[in-house]
Amino acid sequence: MHTVNSRHLGERPDIPTFRRLTRSLAVLDAILSPVWDDRYYSFNAHWAPGELMASMRNGQGDQWFAVINASGIILFGLDHESPMYCPDNPWPGVLDGIPPEFAPFRDEPAFDTRNTTFCIWRRAAAPTWEHGPVHFPPGDD
């Protein structure tokens, strides 16, 4: 058994579970933290027609953004302490291989994809999550 990270994607939830978990985290966070700036999680059920957006920001520079739509899920994230973090210059392969149905989100202004240390996706009909041809550095994520 591997730790869940961007190298080992097998233990990630399926699409309905991901949607339910991210929505639940955002609702719980809103209940516990009524002030928007104090929250880690958000969920926008009306982000765009036919699209939901879930996100996390920890206030210390780490964040992720996910779009959920009929094509599946694409998730971009930043771990600012990762050896793969190169400001304004994604690590080789992180943004490569994004399927055409998710390609428009690579340049979405709401996401800071220039400062991405991981990008994973799951197509609606796919049995597993995927990532591009990332050249991982030695050691743990």
Side-chain angles (χ1 to χ4, degrees):
M1 182 155 113
H2 297 287
T3 301
V4 177
N5 58 40
S6 58
R7 294 177 200 234
H8 307 289
L9 301 176
E11 297 178 31
R12 301 267 187 232
D14 61 20
I15 294 170
T17 302
F18 181 89
R19 183 176 49 243
R20 187 177 64 253
L21 288 171
T22 54
R23 186 185 311 245
S24 298
L25 284 168
V27 169
L28 181 59
D29 210 9
I31 291 167
L32 296 173
S33 303
V35 177
W36 169 256
D37 289 340
D38 295 338
R39 297 180 196 164
Y40 278 40
Y41 299 97
S42 67
F43 190 91
N44 188 336
H46 305 288
W47 192 62
E51 295 177 344
L52 313 171
M53 194 273 289
S55 66
M56 185 285 301
R57 56 187 171 84
N58 69 1
Q60 297 179 6
D62 300 326
Q63 61 188 7
W64 57 258
F65 300 92
V67 174
I68 307 163
N69 62 23
S71 296
I73 302 170
I74 186 160
L75 187 147
F76 299 93
L78 168 64
D79 173 357
H80 77 281
E81 294 179 350
S82 169
M84 294 171 61
Y85 179 46
C86 304
D88 295 323
N89 187 20
W91 189 264
V94 168
L95 296 177
D96 296 338
I98 294 174
E101 59 268 34
F102 298 129
F105 300 112
R106 181 181 173 149
D107 298 318
E108 170 56 50
F111 307 149
D112 185 11
T113 58
R114 290 177 36 152
N115 288 299
T116 296
T117 57
F118 60 93
C119 177
I120 61 174
W121 57 85
R122 184 163 180 170
R123 294 176 178 164
T128 61
W129 288 80
E130 302 174 70
H131 59 71
V134 180
H135 306 283
F136 291 105
D140 292 333
D141 286 355

